[in-house]
């Protein structure tokens, strides 16, 4: 008979919580955060607060000989619906979302991915309910041999972590050789994982797993806006590799004009460089989105769009581009200009054209379902291309990604709030 082991996640223990910048102690457990308290105190927008508390890229890591693992969570009211049904998939990497393998979307306590020895082995959309609001996310069928396990938390739902149980002892994850490089990435909802079927399907997670990087995903839905508090969070976070992907939210909110975009980007990069003066820093421009390539924002759902579902388009006046209104085309040009200027004295600053990740030909093959967000297959394509272009031979992250993962900067480890 196997003996069950329970680990409370509110204190120190063998289970590592990776990808969070801070954890907030609650009455029953912990709430992971992707922005520290100092940054959250400066967030006046409720949607930004929602996005940072959705733990995209955050995962629990441990080593065990268990055959069953259960995670007790409390989903927050109003958590978004999931993209999978309430059953674990035997082989999610081989599943075909277009064929309905993930089942109908519906209210859930978030989608969880189980990674065993580096392989995605199950995906579970946990139902809402349970005694006192606690839901048990249960993964069974593990081998029972010694194995490294990761549970990736939902990329689009807020959950409080209460306890982790297994039918075998839980031990710290194995450390083999030099630690992997820590990659801190900031971007929009596309980076957070909008359209992905599960948390490991968000393109930064795809790229990190292919490259063997330790991901901190600061993709904030609707909030890649060069906010100073985000720049300070990156500055103060230990990092070996840093990327900043901006553009679509700037157009969507009509947040800048040409006159103000350049100085805002300079200021953001200046702040990041205060904490990471020499780390490889990659600025990534927007993906292809036809409705705002040459039409400025703001961007809203299109009331005249045919068919079911939401479809976005730009509502700005193209004539205003001449006076500084921003489109994706003009943003790419300005980002490239700023990076080229700074790179004259900063040899570790790089630029990646977002069209190399998803361009016009990709749109013809894999169109954006709502004219804004990619689907699951497109998220994977973007992640695979980023892994090749950034981490591959000749890429800006190539040398550092094979190094010792020394972690630059003056930041501290994830702390409790």
């Amino acid at each position: 008979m196997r003996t069950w082991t329970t680990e409370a996640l509110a204190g120190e223990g063998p289970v590592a919580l990776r990808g969070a910048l801070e954890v907030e102690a609650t009455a029953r457990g912990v709430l992971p955060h992707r922005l520290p308290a100092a940054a959250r105190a400066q967030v006046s927008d409720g949607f930004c607060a929602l996005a940072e508390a959705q733990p995209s890229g955050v995962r629990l890591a441990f080593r065990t000989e268990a055959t069953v693992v259960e995670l007790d969570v409390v989903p927050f009211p109003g958590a978004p619906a999931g993209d999978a049904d309430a059953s674990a998939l035997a082989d999610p990497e081989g599943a075909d979302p277009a064929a309905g393998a993930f089942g109908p979307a519906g209210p859930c306590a978030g989608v969880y991915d189980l990674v065993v020895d580096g392989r995605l082995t199950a995906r579970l959309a946990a139902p809402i309910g349970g005694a006192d609001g606690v839901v048990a996310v249960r993964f069974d069928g593990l081998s029972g041999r010694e194995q490294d396990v990761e549970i990736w938390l939902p990329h689009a739902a807020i959950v409080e972590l209460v306890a982790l149980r297994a039918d075998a002892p839980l031990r710290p994850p194995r450390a083999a050789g030099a630690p992997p490089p820590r990659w801190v990435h900031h971007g929009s909802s596309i980076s957070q994982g909008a359209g992905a079927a599960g948390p490991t399907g968000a393109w930064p997670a795809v790229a990190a797993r292919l490259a063997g990087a330790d991901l901190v995903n600061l993709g904030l839905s609707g909030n890649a806006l060069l906010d100073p508090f985000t720049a300070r969070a990156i500055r103060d976070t230990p990092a070996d590799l840093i990327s900043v992907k901006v553009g679509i939210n700037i157009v969507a909110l009509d947040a800048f004009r040409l006159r103000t975009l350049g100085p805002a980007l300079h200021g953001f990069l200046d702040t990041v460089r205060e904490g990471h003066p020499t780390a490889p820093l990659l600025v990534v421009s927007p993906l292809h989105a036809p409705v705002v390539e040459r039409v400025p924002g703001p961007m809203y759902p299109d009331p005249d769009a045919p068919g079911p579902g939401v479809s976005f388009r730009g509502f700005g006046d193209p004539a205003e581009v001449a006076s500084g209104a921003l489109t994706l085309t003009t943003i790419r040009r300005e980002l490239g200009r700023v990076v080229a200027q700074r790179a004259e004295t900063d040899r570790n600053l790089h630029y990646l054209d977002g069209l190399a990740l998803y361009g016009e030909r990709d749109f013809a093959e894999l169109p954006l379902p709502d004219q804004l967000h990619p689907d699951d297959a497109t998220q994977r394509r973007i992640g695979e291309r980023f892994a090749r272009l950034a981490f591959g031979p000749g890429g800006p992250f190539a040398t550092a990604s094979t190094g010792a993962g020394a972690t630059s900067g003056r930041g501290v480890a994830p702390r409790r709030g």
Side-chain angles (χ1 to χ4, degrees), residues 143-192:
S143 69
R145 300 186 299 271
E146 190 176 47
Q147 57 211 313
D148 280 306
V149 178
E150 291 181 334
I151 300 176
W152 286 65
L153 304 180
H155 61 295
I158 303 175
V159 291
E160 178 185 0
L161 307 178
V162 178
L164 183 67
R165 287 187 301 279
D167 63 346
L170 302 174
R171 296 185 294 277
R174 179 170 52 186
R182 198 180 203 205
W183 170 34
V184 177
H185 172 74
H186 173 53
S188 67
S189 61
I190 299 171
S191 295
Q192 184 170 331

Side-chain angles (χ1 to χ4, degrees), residues 184-238:
V184 177
H185 172 74
H186 173 53
S188 67
S189 61
I190 299 171
S191 295
Q192 184 170 331
T200 60
W203 78 256
V206 171
R209 294 184 67 228
L210 287 172
D214 177 14
L215 174 66
V216 175
N217 187 0
L218 301 186
L220 300 172
S221 182
N223 285 277
L225 294 167
L226 300 175
D227 286 310
F229 57 76
T230 303
R232 288 190 289 271
I234 298 172
R235 178 195 67 189
D236 297 338
T237 298

